[in-house]
Amino acid sequence: MKYHLPGFTPNPLIKSFFCNIILLLITVYGHAQENSPFNTGFEETIPSKILGQQRKIWIHIPTSNGGNKIKDQGHYPVIYLLDGSENYNTVVSITEHMAESSLCPPMIVVGIVQEDRLSELTIGTDKELPDVIGNGEKFMAFIEKELIPYMDANYPTTTYKTLIGHSLGGLTVINTLLHKQELFNAYVSLEASLWWDHQKPVRDAKTILPAQNYKSKTLFMAIANRMEKGVDTLSVQKDTSESTALIRSNLELIHDINKNKNNQLRFKYKYYENDDHPSVRLIGEYDALRFIFDFYKLRIYESELKNPDFKIESVLVAHYKNVSEQMGYMVKPGESQVNSLGYQMLNAKQYKKAQALFELNINNYPESANCYDSLGDLYLTSGDKINAIKSFKKALSLKAIPETKDKLDKLLSERKK
């Protein structure tokens, strides 16, 4: 079953630059779906034999793909989001903004709606909640053996996966990194409840971190200011009260991670002095994804574009080779990205650069009529009418484009005169 989710309502507690992300995306979605309510995705219910129940998930497909799940129209990394009903809209907005700004690839977001978060996001018991028996291992088995295979079978996914969790969700993120690190490529822990069960995850980490190899794995941790006035992250470590247990347990884990750099874990943490437990989610999610995909953005300077000797196509190939290595699969420069650069060079009358870019696009997207039409425009502008005709004919053999046909007809009629 599928249901549209309600429109996004910004958290009134978070008044920062990130509100601009949300306003921008509302505008983008609004233009794409005129006269329709703003929707971030849809809900599905899937059966779980492991949990013995039907489970709700919220799914967002990138708007760059028109929200379409057809597999031959692109494949995307997936973010699996714990406490989906609380975190889904912010993460969707952030990923759409970042993808539009070329800061990360377009991504599918899967928000997992918790049924019993205390049970699902914990393992074992804790003295503060003696009636709660954690079934986190069973819940993660559902994600590993049912949810991820379901997404891979039904949606245009790639192999790159990220797990994001806040509070008890952050506890699950750390437990998964320690005990099932092969499940995800990147892990985001926001204000993790690492105090659980006498800080068992922290104790586990002391033996696992030195022995485990975390090559190609990324972890971002966020902690907020939960301390009394005048207390800082150094002095709080001497405290023993339960009110500081969360930040102390996170600081201890951070210390142990930094002490074990030989395990090759790519790691960053950030302390948000001006945020508290609820508000750190939004800014932490954004900073986490900026860190995870810090290799993704291609920077080309205006001076380089103006330099006739600058091999822009070589820079693109090298950049996306590195992106592919980081992601673990082939990532090509986007057709529209290269096309835009090509026309920029064409308008600047740097015809060799434009031709190299348009030909790069044809090599990467040989079935795209638009790529051949663009190359035809280059030949037409540079006065090579014979090759322009060949390119326009090739474009039309792939797709009927009225504009291309008009250009071809005009060239053919001129040749007859």
Side-chain angles (χ1 to χ4, degrees), residues 149-160:
Y150 174 83
M151 291 301 302
D152 290 343
N154 293 283
Y155 288 88
T157 64
T158 67
T159 56
Y160 196 94

Side-chain angles (χ1 to χ4, degrees), residues 7-53:
F8 176 78
T9 302
N11 186 335
L13 297 176
I14 305 173
K15 300 296 183 182
S16 70
F17 135 80
F18 296 103
C19 291
N20 293 330
I21 296 173
I22 297 160
L23 292 174
L24 170 66
L25 288 165
I26 289 174
T27 302
V28 171
Y29 273 86
H31 286 305
Q33 302 182 20
E34 290 183 4
N35 301 319
S36 298
F38 168 56
N39 295 300
T40 60
F42 48 87
E43 180 181 282
E44 284 197 8
T45 301
I46 65 172
S48 170
K49 291 182 179 179
I50 292 172
L51 299 177
Q53 58 187 195

Side-chain angles (χ1 to χ4, degrees), residues 24 164 180-181 221 253 305 380:
L24 170 66
I164 299 179
K180 281 281 188 178
Q181 59 103 353
M221 291 179 65
L253 179 60
L305 292 176
L380 186 60

Side-chain angles (χ1 to χ4, degrees), residues 122-123 136-137 140 144 163 171-184 187 194 197 199-209 212 214:
T122 61
I123 298 172
E137 291 170 331
M140 284 310 302
E144 176 186 4
L163 180 65
L171 171 67
T172 298
V173 168
I174 297 300
N175 275 328
T176 306
L177 175 71
L178 293 174
H179 300 289
K180 281 281 188 178
Q181 59 103 353
E182 73 280 359
L183 287 186
F184 299 92
Y187 294 80
L194 299 180
D197 191 10
Q199 299 186 343
K200 189 175 188 303
V202 181
R203 289 185 280 117
D204 289 346
K206 293 183 185 301
T207 57
I208 293 173
L209 290 175
Q212 186 63 268
Y214 286 100

Side-chain angles (χ1 to χ4, degrees), residues 32 59 76 97 142 214 231 239 243 280 288 334 373 385 388 411:
I59 303 171
Y76 308 98
H97 166 74
F142 154 70
Y214 286 100
V231 180
D239 189 54
S243 64
V280 79
D373 176 75
K385 294 183 179 180
L411 283 169

Side-chain angles (χ1 to χ4, degrees), residues 53 68 152 208 226 234 247 254 303 323 371:
Q53 58 187 195
N68 199 321
D152 290 343
I208 293 173
R226 305 166 58 86
L234 287 176
I247 191 168
I254 289 166
S303 58
V323 170
C371 291

